[in-house]
């Protein structure tokens, strides 16, 4: 039984998987909130460079932010495709989401490599430590999301995901959109509101 | 390969009465994506306008919060879903925001005053 066909036999009338996943996402806000707080309180306290304004590339990161936003659009269209029984839309949407996620990871790999070449590593200064921990954990979440979406796509391609299984895709979508909203916060707090390191 | 899945018994927007309500259509999702894109472009533009340096923090925080709310309400369907989902997500998020503000106050604002 899914949340869409009839309400599940629970005291809340809600699907327990979905409720559990929303609770998990709530705990994830505390996880990322801790790293964001750490970055913010260490900002401006690095005694050696490179500093944020010397290395952060706003045009490049703006493009990768746009890519991640569009992946959320593809995800929600893919989910609607699954719910409506439109196989083409579902495969296209979920496939595009995974592809855009991989492009985002490509941008992040380029950025990390560039930072390494200009002398910014995890142990260079407080900026490097807090930046790589925060964005690295976000990148790890994106990677897990891409793998999850690719597995779902394969299941859909094999005809193993029907509209009655839409909750599986919906939960993957919740995870993916969460990764997107975490990046919305990171893009503003770390990239646009730069401090002196 | 058939373009339809084997079952058509579920339509978005035809959820039950217990927390599942109408989901927006494809066009609504595209319009929200356009709004998100425009807000992101505005954010980047504000970053490059020196005249706005004095108000950049509240402006960017407000725009970022707007994007956050749009994604959560429409793409994650919290606007249409049960308020219990909203509660289990927003309560820890409020705690996370409190944590961030409290630590900034403790480590940056109060030391700079005193």
């Amino acid at each position: 039984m899914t949340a869409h066909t009839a309400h599940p036999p629970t005291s809340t009338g809600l699907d327990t998987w979905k409720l559990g996943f929303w609770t998990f996402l709530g705990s994830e806000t505390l996880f990322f909130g801790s790293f964001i707080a750490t970055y913010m309180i260490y900002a401006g306290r690095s005694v050696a460079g490179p500093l944020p304004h010397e290395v952060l590339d706003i045009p490049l990161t703006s493009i990768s932010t746009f890519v991640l936003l569009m992946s959320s659009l593809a995800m929600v269209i893919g989910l609607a495709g699954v719910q409506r029984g439109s196989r083409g839309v579902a495969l296209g949407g979920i496939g595009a989401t995974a592809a855009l996620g991989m492009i985002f990871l490509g941008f992040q790999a380029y950025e990390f490599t560039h930072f390494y070449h200009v002398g910014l590593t995890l142990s260079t200064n407080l900026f490097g430590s807090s930046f790589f921990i925060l964005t690295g954990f976000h990148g790890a979440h994106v990677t897990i999301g891409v793998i999850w979406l690719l597995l779902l796509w394969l299941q859909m391609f094999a005809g193993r995901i029907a509209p009655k299984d839409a909750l599986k895709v919906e939960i993957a979508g919740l995870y993916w959109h969460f990764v997107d909203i975490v990046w919305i916060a990171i893009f503003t707090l770390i990239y646009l509101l730069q401090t002196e390191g | 390969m058939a373009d339809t899945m084997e079952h058509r018994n579920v339509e978005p927007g035809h959820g039950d009465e217990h927390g599942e309500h109408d989901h927006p259509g494809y066009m609504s999702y595209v319009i929200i994506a356009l709004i998100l894109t425009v807000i992101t472009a505005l954010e980047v533009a504000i970053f490059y306008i020196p005249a706005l340096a004095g108000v950049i923090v509240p402006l960017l925080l407000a725009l970022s919060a707007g994007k956050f709310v749009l994604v959560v309400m429409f793409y994650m369907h919290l606007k249409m879903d049960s308020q219990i989902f909203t509660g289990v997500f927003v309560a820890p998020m409020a705690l996370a925001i409190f944590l961030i503000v409290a630590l900034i106050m403790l480590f940056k604002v109060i030391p700079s005053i005193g």
Side-chain angles (χ1 to χ4, degrees):
Chain A
M1 182 180 291
T2 73
H4 288 280
T5 49
H7 72 83
T10 60
S11 59
T12 59
L14 301 171
D15 187 281
T16 47
W17 278 102
K18 193 170 170 181
L19 182 60
F21 203 78
W22 270 110
T23 309
F24 165 71
L25 293 183
S27 75
E28 285 274 272
T29 62
L30 284 161
F31 179 80
F32 280 105
S34 303
F35 289 128
I36 289 171
T38 304
Y39 181 91
M40 302 294 277
I41 62 175
Y42 282 153
R45 296 187 181 201
S46 292
V47 292
L51 301 177
H53 69 276
E54 295 169 333
V55 293
L56 295 180
D57 187 339
I58 300 302
L60 187 82
T61 315
S62 301
I63 295 169
S64 67
T65 300
F66 175 74
V67 166
L68 204 57
L69 285 174
M70 290 306 103
S71 76
S72 264
L73 172 64
M75 181 72 234
V76 81
I77 286 176
L79 171 62
V82 173
Q83 290 170 331
R84 294 176 188 191
S86 176
R87 181 181 164 85
V89 173
L91 283 171
I94 303 302
T97 309
L100 289 165
M102 285 188 274
I103 292 170
F104 176 85
L105 287 173
F107 274 106
Q108 193 167 45
Y110 170 81
E111 184 185 46
F112 281 16
T113 309
H114 172 68
F115 286 1
Y116 177 78
H117 286 304
V118 297
L120 183 70
T121 67
L122 194 64
S123 56
T124 303
N125 54 21
L126 285 173
F127 165 58
S129 300
S130 52
F131 175 84
F132 280 117
I133 290 289
L134 172 58
T135 57
F137 267 113
H138 179 266
H141 277 70
V142 176
T143 305
I144 291 167
V146 166
I147 293 167
W148 189 350
L149 291 171
L150 288 175
L151 291 174
L152 269 180
W153 190 90
L154 286 172
Q155 280 188 294
M156 273 192 249
F157 190 74
R160 292 189 201 138
I161 302 271
K164 66 181 173 58
D165 305 313
L167 188 69
K168 286 182 184 174
V169 182
E170 186 174 357
I171 287 176
L174 289 177
Y175 179 83
W176 191 260
H177 297 308
F178 177 78
V179 164
D180 186 19
I181 58 176
V182 170
W183 187 255
I184 286 173
I186 290 175
F187 180 60
T188 299
L189 296 173
I190 278 69
Y191 286 86
L192 297 179
L193 296 177
Q194 291 177 16
T195 56
E196 297 307 310
Chain B
M1 185 187 308
D3 196 46
T4 55
M5 292 182 173
E6 54 185 295
H7 299 290
R8 285 186 171 273
N9 60 332
V10 177
E11 293 285 335
H14 290 245
D16 61 50
E17 302 80 20
H18 296 264
E20 299 287 337
H21 300 288
D22 286 346
H23 288 183
Y26 293 127
M27 192 47 68
S28 303
Y29 293 139
V30 172
I31 290 169
I32 290 160
L34 284 174
I35 296 169
L36 291 170
T37 304
V38 169
I39 295 175
T40 304
L42 267 176
E43 286 179 321
V44 177
I46 288 167
F47 175 80
Y48 284 109
I49 300 173
L52 295 174
V55 290
I56 191 170
V57 174
L59 266 182
L60 288 180
L61 288 180
L63 289 170
S64 178
K67 285 163 67 180
F68 189 99
V69 168
L70 278 175
V71 172
V72 170
M73 287 179 75
F74 294 99
Y75 284 179
M76 297 173 88
H77 302 127
L78 260 195
K79 187 173 188 290
M80 287 69 77
D81 268 349
S82 167
Q83 291 194 342
I84 294 174
F85 297 142
T86 305
V88 297
F89 180 66
V90 170
M93 192 179 71
L95 188 59
I97 292 169
F98 174 78
L99 173 80
I100 294 169
V101 173
L103 286 172
I104 290 172
M105 293 294 286
L106 280 172
F107 285 92
K108 304 206 83 162
V109 178
I110 293 173
S112 71
I113 294 170

